[in-house]
Amino acid sequence: FRWKIWMCHMAELALKIAAFVFIFVALLHSARVVLKVKVTIGKFVVPLWLSLVGIIVALLLASLMLRSI
């Protein structure tokens, strides 16, 4: 019975850590948009609007994880 409680706490911790990572990713995308940092992968220039999508998706995932706790 104790291992079930322990596993539940570990699952909550994992969700909190994952949510924190997604919030950090959203902050990095926000910094890119505010500072207008250009990102190039090979010859492809990544548009700034893609970071806006990244902000929305990362915050959505983080909120879903935090709500499930």
Side-chain angles (χ1 to χ4, degrees):
F1 180 71
R2 285 186 176 179
W3 67 272
K4 286 184 180 180
I5 294 171
W6 181 79
M7 288 298 288
C8 185
H9 288 296
M10 292 304 292
E12 287 180 12
L13 179 62
L15 284 170
K16 287 178 184 177
I17 291 171
F20 173 77
V21 169
F22 280 116
I23 290 170
F24 184 70
V25 168
L27 288 173
L28 290 176
H29 279 294
S30 299
R32 178 177 182 240
V33 171
V34 169
L35 299 174
K36 297 180 180 161
V37 176
K38 294 182 180 179
V39 175
T40 305
I41 301 173
K43 294 182 179 180
F44 177 72
V45 177
V46 181
L48 279 177
W49 64 265
L50 201 54
S51 282
L52 295 175
V53 173
I55 294 168
I56 293 167
V57 170
L59 290 177
L60 178 67
L61 289 172
S63 67
L64 289 174
M65 288 181 182
L66 291 174
R67 282 186 188 179
S68 69
I69 297 175

